[in-house]
Amino acid sequence: MRKVYAFLPGLAAVAAVLPATPSYAASTLVVSASGRTAHCPNATYTTIQSAVSAASSGDTIHVCPGTYNETVTVTTPDLTLEGETTLPPDCDVFAPPNPATDSIIQQFPNPPSSNQGTVYLNADNIRFRGFTVQNNQGAADNSGGFAIQTTPAHSGYVITNNVIQNNPAGIYFNASGTTQSEVAQNCIRLNNMGYGVASAAGNGIYSDQGLDNALIDNNAFFQNKNGAITLDKYQNILRATVDQNVSHEDGGLLNIFHSTDSVVTDNQAVDSTGSAIYIGGANSGLQVLRNDIQGSYHGVRAENVVGGPSDANTQIQISDNNIRNTTRGDGISAGSSSLTFSTISDNSVSNSGHDGVLIEDAGVNAGNLVTRNVLQNSRVYDCEDLTTGTGTAGTADTWTANQANTSNPAGLCPRVPPSLTIKKTHQGDFKEGKLGTYTITVGNSAGAGSTNGSTVTVRDVLPKGLTAAALSGTGWTCDLATLTCTRSDVLAAGQSYPPITLTVLVPCNCKTRHDIDRVTVTGGGDSATHTATDRTYIKCKEPHPHPKPHPKPHPKPHHKPKPHHPKPHRH
């Protein structure tokens, strides 16, 4: 069953501010496909394009619910187009739009007459929000096929709170950069019409004519086969920020080429079929920070498909990302001639399908710093650098202070030993003639290295007088006679083995007391012995003392004898 992910918090709330029956200022032009209705009593236009053509700068065009089978071209600056589509609570769950409640723009069933978008925004400072834009079929020559298109001649676009679905591609996002442009809080999904045939098909957001001073933030993407966002290689991408987006089951979160001083930060990518973040060549000053990536083929992958060695990505910072469970590829990797004078630092990479961090040997890869990364449980190597030079372990790069277990060449990432922990607990008091239970838990400290596969041994010493009745734990081999449990599977940093349960019998005729149980753990590549104690109250029934007999009183004499005083002798 496919996982269902919650949509970005706040998106539905933002959409909900659109009033159901708004009151309009004089500069608001109202459109209703059905003409004037109870819901839209002020409607004077039946098509969006007719209202756009009649509008002046500064006007708002309010589009009531309904289906609008048309293309819309906007050439008047400073217009606001607003519909009444409400964002779904979960972008992953597709449901057809409802023309009774949603403002739907589509070209279906009529194919477009040109390769421009269904909605073509060709002026400065246009705001477009609250629509469902769908079902563009693409041009006959397999070009175009966008839901929304902007041009590199203008800027100040604000595209928010829309559902964009079932087009060859979602938003063709280009901007001059004079004023910042933004695409935010949209649900962009299933834009794959003509994928593999139509140019740019399979992308949620696509740019290749030039994009400057742009913000792509807080959008939710789902199952766009080529990528949620592709900022392509034909024109420069300048000062683009990709921030706090969620990508589920797309080709990847981001494919980026020819960018300068751009930032990719605090995004989430789950189950990308390709690289979650693909750095495709000729990028300079790109920062990839604090992204959460899980289940993708690759995590962050640098390649150079733009040109020759001079197009290698340079001065790239890949830091503080959490990457786990890549299906077959690397957590972070650099292909041929793809990465120079860059920093890979402070990332957490676990359970990679190939390497944790890999720098390949071909081309000009050199001068990179790989430092303070925590790399563990990679299928092949946690650290691998196949370049040659005067750097660490004979490579062309510098590797320092990484926590890892395996590396190629040897010495690239010196192994960090594990640091085992042990804890012992019990519930309640132990009572005479009853069974009591101890729970023993062995862990590995966060930030340590994984255990090395050698035997981990737990030994227990019971308080005097208690008798061991049972000893077991999932995955442990336990001997009741010696109170010893062992195992040798690898334990990653920050993880714990399944607990051990020790059952004891409290004998009869015991003595009530506090006593201490002691347990130790050794092995797994940790040279120290770690000890835990558990102070236990052993409660017994105290025997009642025998009563002492009362002494018999001495009988009183009947007569009190008179003292005898002898008479003095006379002289």
Side-chain angles (χ1 to χ4, degrees), residues 43-349:
T44 54
Y45 299 90
T46 58
T47 68
I48 302 171
Q49 186 61 58
S50 62
V52 168
S53 298
S56 300
S57 293
D59 284 352
T60 295
I61 298 166
H62 185 88
V63 180
C64 294
T67 301
Y68 299 84
N69 291 305
E70 57 177 306
T71 59
V72 178
T73 300
V74 183
T75 57
T76 302
D78 194 24
L79 288 186
T80 298
L81 285 77
E82 63 178 18
E84 294 192 32
T85 289
T86 299
L87 290 171
D90 189 341
C91 192
D92 289 17
V93 180
F94 176 81
N98 183 354
T101 57
D102 299 322
S103 303
I104 307 162
I105 307 174
Q106 61 182 20
Q107 293 179 325
F108 182 81
N110 300 313
S113 59
S114 70
N115 63 2
Q116 70 183 44
T118 300
V119 177
Y120 184 42
L121 308 180
N122 190 13
D124 290 321
N125 303 317
I126 301 174
R127 294 161 293 280
F128 185 88
R129 60 176 180 257
F131 291 90
T132 299
V133 188
Q134 65 179 20
N135 296 342
N136 189 315
Q137 303 295 294
D141 63 355
N142 293 323
S143 61
F146 302 98
I148 302 169
Q149 180 178 350
T150 66
T151 78
H154 300 286
S155 66
Y157 301 108
V158 180
I159 301 170
T160 59
N161 294 96
N162 302 285
V163 176
I164 300 168
Q165 61 191 19
N166 292 336
N167 307 280
I171 301 174
Y172 195 9
F173 190 29
N174 307 284
S176 68
T178 303
T179 303
Q180 186 179 70
S181 296
E182 182 177 15
V183 174
Q185 297 179 324
N186 301 281
C187 168
I188 304 174
R189 60 190 179 190
L190 300 163
N191 294 286
N192 303 305
M193 191 74 66
Y195 176 68
V197 178
S199 59
N203 292 288
I205 295 175
Y206 181 80
S207 180
D208 68 0
Q209 293 185 357
L211 184 66
D212 186 9
N213 192 14
L215 177 60
I216 301 172
D217 69 308
N218 283 284
N219 300 283
F221 299 89
F222 178 61
Q223 288 191 356
N224 301 282
K225 290 184 178 179
N226 191 66
I229 305 164
T230 296
L231 308 181
D232 213 343
K233 59 189 178 183
Y234 302 112
Q235 296 292 333
N236 286 337
I237 306 297
L238 305 173
R239 300 180 294 166
T241 297
V242 179
D243 178 54
Q244 298 187 68
N245 300 279
V246 173
S247 166
H248 292 156
E249 301 178 26
D250 298 291
L253 165 70
L254 174 66
N255 307 305
I256 188 167
F257 311 78
H258 269 295
S259 74
T260 301
D261 297 333
S262 294
V263 178
V264 183
T265 182
D266 297 301
N267 302 281
Q268 180 191 75
V270 178
D271 296 338
S272 301
T273 57
S275 301
I277 298 175
Y278 183 79
I279 306 170
N283 294 283
S284 176
L286 175 66
Q287 298 180 66
V288 179
L289 311 174
R290 299 187 305 276
N291 300 283
D292 185 85
I293 298 170
Q294 57 178 309
S296 302
Y297 186 97
H298 286 295
V300 178
R301 172 72 173 170
E303 285 191 335
N304 183 1
V305 297
V306 172
S310 62
D311 291 310
N313 303 288
T314 189
Q315 296 180 355
I316 310 299
Q317 182 180 357
I318 304 171
S319 298
D320 298 295
N321 301 284
N322 184 10
I323 304 170
R324 56 201 182 278
N325 302 324
T326 57
T327 55
R328 296 184 65 185
D330 308 298
I332 301 170
S333 61
S336 174
S337 296
S338 67
L339 199 66
T340 62
F341 304 106
S342 297
T343 298
I344 301 172
S345 67
D346 301 290
N347 301 283
S348 174
V349 182

Side-chain angles (χ1 to χ4, degrees), residues 472-540:
S472 65
T474 302
W476 292 93
T477 299
C478 296
D479 180 16
L480 184 62
T482 60
L483 293 184
T484 301
C485 292
T486 59
R487 66 190 302 153
S488 58
D489 50 320
V490 172
L491 181 63
Q495 303 297 311
S496 296
Y497 286 127
I500 299 169
T501 300
L502 171 59
T503 304
V504 299
L505 176 64
V506 182
C508 297
N509 301 320
C510 63
K511 182 178 180 181
T512 297
R513 67 190 188 277
H514 284 94
D515 216 331
I516 294 176
D517 183 279
R518 189 180 306 274
V519 63
T520 62
V521 62
T522 57
D526 186 347
S527 59
T529 298
H530 301 273
T531 302
T533 59
D534 186 16
R535 186 174 176 84
T536 308
Y537 182 60
I538 302 173
K539 188 175 182 181
C540 303

Side-chain angles (χ1 to χ4, degrees), residues 431-445:
K431 298 180 180 180
E432 178 182 348
K434 304 291 185 181
L435 294 175
T437 301
Y438 288 107
T439 300
I440 304 167
T441 305
V442 175
N444 190 10
S445 300

